[in-house]
Amino acid sequence: MATTTLPDDTTVARPRTDDRRSPLWWAAVALPSAVAVVAVVYTVATRRLTGDLHYVLAALRTGREAGYSPSEVFTHRPYFYRWFIAILDRLTSFGGGTPVREALMGAVGVLLAAAAAYALYTALLRRVTGREAALTAGATGLALALAPRNDFLQPEWAAVVLTVLGVAAAIGPERPWRAALLAAVPLGLAVMMKYSTAATAAIGILLVYTVDRGRAVRVAVVAMAAAAGLFGLSVLGGSHEWQWTEDMPQINQSAMSRTGIHPHFILDRSVDFLADRAVATPVLLLLPGALLLVLTRVHGRWRRAELLLIAATIGVAAQAVVVVQGNWFLYHGAQMPVLAAATWGLAVGGARRTPPWCFAAVSLVYGVLPVLYAEAPKGLQRPWEVWAAGLVALLAAGVDAARSRTTTARRGVPSAVLVTLSGVVCLTATIWPGSPHLVSHGKVTETSAQYLDEMRLAQSDADRIRDRLPANAPVLYLAFGDITYYVDHPAQCRYPVATFLQRSRFLPDVADLPSFKENADCVDHDPAPYALLERPWFRPGRVDPALWQRVQAVYDCPHARAGTRFVLCVRR
């Protein structure tokens, strides 16, 4: 997100003056920009939202109908993230049906990514050439705007946007303390998106450290105070926020706090996870090569060693967040491809003598890699093949680094256009119908087109259920967020989606939590006239037995017919 080729001092560096523009410089900007704009428009129109966003929106909407504000509705997401999504939802509430509202929400998200990229661009202009600033910020913004559906608008994604704004604020203004104060709020909010996203904010501070050590220390001190203050505001603003902060970690059966530390498993699973993440976002495969190209331009052995150590620390921090949570969801690593894109932009934009043709060629090929990989037989979808692709990119960067020492050629407009286009094409690899939606242990388990088909089936199921309900009849949802999102009838308690109740299926001790008991009271204290039961998700025979007895005492739930996931229960 910020250049690593600056001198190691605490003064604001002057932009280099060797970035002379060709009379045809506009062509190098216009063509890649046009392709990027077309890709973004296509993405906004077709991406739709993922199930996790449906869950949050369902809880906020049905909870609002029950009279609860985002401060008081449980969604398994912290206070400030709930308000972030609620505001986005309100901004798009004038839209038509579900596809239109989701497209509008996607457009707002793209505008946020563009604002963060522009802020980074203006900040970098004080320190590097216009070409480096444009490619670094442009690649960062495009990686955010074209993020896979699983990443987009998630807490991790929002934290990256805020961190980019924080980095820009930290390195842009001339006065260090003013910069630190400006950076504190976005970095503090980045922490508040999910708490585990504190690692993303810390990565941002490490990036500032590569530019200016003194500023990084100032930003770290002020941002920690800002995060603590914002957390205090969230506890004051929501009557249950402290309780949920204590209870939420207890309902994750895969968290390291429950499973313990198993180094061999962590290493093996991390190898698979990083391969999965690279299949979904192939720009990650270019990160080692881009880092090599950047380091070859750094003067001084000790400075290169320092930057390499910082890069390793950032990589460990990014993966540690995934490991600690233990679910190995791809979006837990949402910061990784954005870091890779920014490093790619800095590496390519900073090439002085000759364009990195080999590296650009690999970038172009990797733009179609996910679609081809998804179509390959399952036997050929293996993590080591993905790692081999990363090695190819590193070798290509090594060839370009060696060539740059021996050639005196200058890059021209055609080469700038082609190299920049290769990056744009690589970043668009996430948005095509055949691109992977879910990847596990190297296997593509679902493509984007398949996910959209399943979403349409879920909406059809919801339509059938809604047809059986009286208008605006309250519902107790014993079902996950997708069906709640599409049924969209008001809930009648502050736990619209029965997350705490469902987790007793895996963890019997969840029944002792205060939030479980409050959630269970929704069943038989002023119960809704209807309950929607998703049997495969809620599993009546697996959840807490006392809870299921309470459900049966209040509701008459018919047996599910073959092939039916949902049953509509009626209050006795």
Side-chain angles (χ1 to χ4, degrees):
M1 295 177 196
T3 182
T4 57
T5 60
L6 296 173
D8 183 19
D9 56 34
T10 58
T11 62
V12 176
R14 295 181 181 275
R16 297 189 185 95
T17 59
D18 61 347
D19 192 25
R20 299 184 182 93
R21 283 183 174 179
S22 163
L24 298 177
W25 65 269
W26 56 269
V29 175
L31 185 57
S33 298
V35 174
V37 168
V38 171
V40 169
V41 171
Y42 171 82
T43 302
V44 169
T46 62
R47 176 165 45 195
R48 303 293 299 270
L49 299 180
T50 190
D52 288 321
L53 267 295
H54 289 168
Y55 163 71
V56 176
L57 286 166
L60 292 173
R61 290 175 182 177
T62 59
R64 181 172 64 242
E65 293 297 322
Y68 295 101
S69 76
S71 303
E72 301 297 332
V73 173
F74 180 80
T75 66
H76 204 182
R77 294 290 186 262
Y79 178 91
F80 282 102
Y81 180 75
R82 296 199 301 273
W83 273 105
F84 167 64
I85 295 299
I87 291 171
L88 287 183
D89 192 33
R90 283 296 193 181
L91 288 174
T92 59
S93 60
F94 63 88
T98 297
V100 175
R101 291 192 68 178
E102 290 191 7
L104 289 172
M105 193 171 292
V108 175
V110 166
L111 290 176
L112 292 174
Y118 181 74
L120 182 61
Y121 171 71
T122 57
L124 288 176
L125 278 178
R126 293 174 51 82
R127 298 175 176 273
V128 296
T129 65
R131 185 173 64 211
E132 286 176 290
L135 282 175
T136 303
T140 300
L142 202 58
L144 289 167
L146 301 182
R149 182 186 299 106
N150 274 324
D151 294 355
F152 189 63
L153 295 181
Q154 291 273 27
E156 289 78 2
W157 182 93
V160 176
V161 172
L162 288 163
T163 299
V164 172
L165 289 169
V167 170
I171 65 175
E174 186 173 352
R175 296 182 180 179
W177 277 112
R178 177 181 295 178
L181 291 172
L182 287 174
V185 173
L187 289 174
L189 285 172
V191 176
M192 291 297 102
M193 289 298 99
K194 200 179 175 183
Y195 305 142
S196 61
T197 50
T200 303
I203 288 171
I205 293 172
L206 283 172
L207 292 172
V208 175
Y209 182 88
T210 65
V211 178
D212 190 320
R213 294 175 180 176
R215 287 182 181 237
V217 172
R218 291 179 178 90
V219 169
V221 171
V222 181
M224 284 191 291
L230 290 169
F231 177 73
L233 285 176
S234 71
V235 172
L236 293 174
S239 63
H240 285 63
E241 202 64 27
W242 180 259
Q243 173 184 309
W244 290 339
T245 300
E246 290 185 313
D247 288 357
M248 277 192 291
Q250 305 304 315
I251 64 177
N252 181 6
Q253 70 268 25
S254 301
M256 187 178 289
S257 58
R258 284 188 176 272
T259 63
I261 300 175
H262 304 285
H264 187 269
F265 169 79
I266 291 172
L267 180 61
D268 287 349
R269 193 66 185 88
S270 294
V271 169
D272 286 354
F273 174 86
L274 290 172
D276 296 344
R277 183 72 250 194
V279 170
T281 48
V283 69
L284 189 59
L285 295 170
L286 306 176
L287 179 57
L291 184 61
L292 173 64
L293 291 173
V294 170
L295 289 177
T296 55
R297 302 199 301 266
V298 174
H299 299 293
R301 182 181 304 171
W302 289 109
R303 178 63 171 161
R304 284 196 296 270
E306 178 189 38
L307 293 177
L308 188 59
L309 178 61
I310 292 172
T313 303
I314 289 173
V316 170
Q319 183 61 18
V321 179
V322 181
V323 172
V324 169
Q325 294 180 85
N327 300 115
W328 306 97
F329 296 148
L330 292 182
Y331 67 84
H332 289 169
Q335 70 278 17
M336 296 178 183
V338 182
L339 283 166
T343 309
W344 184 96
L346 184 63
V348 172
R352 290 290 177 266
R353 296 180 177 177
T354 182
W357 285 117
C358 295
F359 190 60
V362 171
S363 302
L364 186 66
V365 171
Y366 287 3
V368 298
L369 179 64
V371 176
L372 297 176
Y373 188 88
E375 292 295 326
K378 296 297 182 184
L380 297 180
Q381 296 179 7
R382 291 170 291 189
W384 72 264
E385 295 173 347
V386 183
W387 282 90
L391 179 60
V392 169
L394 179 61
L395 293 174
V399 171
D400 286 326
R403 281 196 315 115
S404 69
R405 295 192 181 96
T406 60
T407 183
T408 58
R410 301 287 297 181
R411 59 191 296 167
V413 170
S415 61
V417 171
L418 293 174
V419 172
T420 305
L421 270 177
S422 71
V424 173
V425 170
C426 185
L427 290 171
T428 62
T430 61
I431 66 174
W432 310 119
S435 296
H437 174 72
L438 292 176
V439 189
S440 179
H441 299 281
K443 312 293 183 186
V444 177
T445 58
E446 188 175 49
T447 65
S448 180
Q450 290 169 340
Y451 170 79
L452 293 175
D453 287 341
E454 288 188 2
M455 189 173 64
R456 284 188 281 270
L457 289 175
Q459 191 164 3
S460 298
D461 288 336
D463 289 341
R464 286 192 290 271
I465 293 167
R466 195 187 305 106
D467 290 341
R468 298 170 56 190
L469 288 168
N472 298 318
V475 174
L476 171 70
Y477 292 100
L478 304 176
F480 189 61
D482 273 330
I483 197 68
T484 307
Y485 176 76
Y486 290 120
V487 171
D488 198 30
H489 270 243
Q492 201 154 298
C493 82
R494 73 173 69 247
Y495 298 86
V497 181
T499 307
F500 278 100
L501 304 187
Q502 188 264 354
R503 291 302 168 89
S504 66
R505 166 186 170 186
F506 307 103
L507 302 167
D509 59 355
V510 167
D512 298 327
L513 297 176
S515 299
F516 177 93
K517 296 173 182 178
E518 286 184 353
N519 197 171
D521 284 345
C522 297
V523 173
D524 47 17
H525 288 68
D526 187 25
Y530 297 91
L532 178 59
L533 173 63
E534 185 179 359
R535 287 185 177 273
W537 182 75
F538 195 75
R539 294 280 184 183
R542 301 285 183 86
V543 297
D544 180 70
L547 167 67
W548 182 240
Q549 289 176 4
R550 293 170 69 175
V551 174
Q552 288 182 306
V554 177
Y555 293 100
D556 180 16
C557 296
H559 292 288
R561 292 174 295 179
T564 302
R565 292 174 55 88
F566 308 99
V567 295
L568 187 62
C569 310
V570 181
R571 191 173 63 195
R572 296 181 185 275

